[in-house]
Structure formats: C-alpha cells, structure tokens
C-alpha cells in the first residue's frame, strides 16, 4: 500500500474526484453534489489515491447533539475491486476516525446489511461490535 495516498478532502478539493476507478462509487459522480458535500463542514470524505485516480473512499457525517458528545456516522466505504484486501479500507476508516477524534467525537458507527458478510467481517476485524438495533427507513 506504499504507493497509495490516503487523503481527507476538504472544500474546493473536488479536482481529486475527476479521475475515479471503476466500481468505487455506486454510480457516476455529479460534480455539483461532490462540491456541495465537500463544502459542508460536517461531511467528511477520505480518499485513496493511486496513480492519480481515486481507488477507494470512505464517507462520513459527524452529528452534534444537544445532550451528548458528537458522533461519527460512517455512511459508505468503497474500494475498486483490484485494490481490495490491501489495507485501504482500514486506512480510510483510520483517517476518518483520527479526524473524528479531533472533532470531539466519542463514538463512530456504521450500518451494514447482515447478509453482507464481507462488510460485517471487515467491521468486526476493525474492532466494531454488532448492535441489536433495527433500522427503519421512511420514503419522503
């Protein structure tokens, strides 16, 4: 992984998203939405760069509560298939975690479909503990 740079993107750094390897994100990036995401101080995007292209990412949002310490919600992790199992996901989440600590977050959490055994094994290997919580979604 020595030839992969892990970088936390900030406002105005959308140029790093101009070259993205196949199957990293769910679909094609939309530059105006990417810039909006990067401009929001509570949105965080760590990327893995290899030979000038994004080969992995992890996105997160930190929440501020009126009655408890901020928390980091890891929204999504994506790695280009040829780059998987090289420690990139671990490095991306490490980058986000270090940033979250600087922001005062005391806990990070991520949702995973129980049928996604690869994701569940990955999060467990990082020390994550499964929660008995159930997620409900509402169409708006």
């Amino acid at each position: 992984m020595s030839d992969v740079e892990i970088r936390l993107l900030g406002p105005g750094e959308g140029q790093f998203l101009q070259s993205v390897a196949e199957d990293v994100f769910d679909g094609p990036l939309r530059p105006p939405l990417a810039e909006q995401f990067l401009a929001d101080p509570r949105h965080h995007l760590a990327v893995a760069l290899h030979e000038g292209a994004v080969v992995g990412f992890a996105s997160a949002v930190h929440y501020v509560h009126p009655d408890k310490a901020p928390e980091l919600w890891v929204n999504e992790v994506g790695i280009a298939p040829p780059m998987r199992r090289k420690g990139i996901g671990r490095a991306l989440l490490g980058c986000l975690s270090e940033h979250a600590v600087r922001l005062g977050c005391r806990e990070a959490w991520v949702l995973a479909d129980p049928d996604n055994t690869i994701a569940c094994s990955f999060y467990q290997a990082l020390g994550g503990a499964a929660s008995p919580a159930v997620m409900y979604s509402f169409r708006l």
Side-chain angles (χ1 to χ4, degrees):
M1 202 182 93
S2 62
D3 57 344
V4 174
E5 175 191 359
I6 303 299
R7 180 184 185 100
L8 187 66
L9 298 185
E13 293 189 310
Q15 74 273 14
F16 287 99
L17 300 173
Q18 289 178 353
S19 178
V20 178
E22 199 171 320
D23 294 327
V24 172
F25 288 92
D26 291 334
L29 292 183
R30 300 181 204 171
L33 293 177
E35 289 297 337
Q36 184 179 350
F37 184 96
L38 294 173
D40 189 318
R42 293 207 174 123
H43 289 179
H44 312 286
L45 185 67
V47 295
L49 300 166
H50 175 68
E51 298 179 354
V54 172
V55 296
F57 83 97
S59 63
V61 176
H62 80 273
Y63 288 92
V64 177
H65 299 272
D67 65 336
K68 57 184 155 256
E71 296 176 347
L72 186 77
W73 168 51
V74 177
N75 179 40
E76 194 171 4
V77 178
I79 312 291
M83 301 301 287
R84 292 179 184 161
R85 304 199 60 81
K86 296 179 185 273
I88 293 172
R90 180 180 293 271
L92 289 166
L93 288 178
C95 177
L96 285 178
S97 296
E98 290 170 11
H99 185 60
V101 169
R102 289 191 298 272
L103 294 169
C105 295
R106 300 286 183 254
E107 184 175 32
W109 52 276
V110 62
L111 297 173
D113 185 327
D115 293 336
N116 187 342
T117 56
I118 293 172
C120 291
S121 294
F122 172 64
Y123 297 131
Q124 288 173 356
L126 292 177
S131 167
V134 176
M135 183 181 92
Y136 294 89
S137 62
F138 301 88
R139 268 193 126 21
L140 301 177

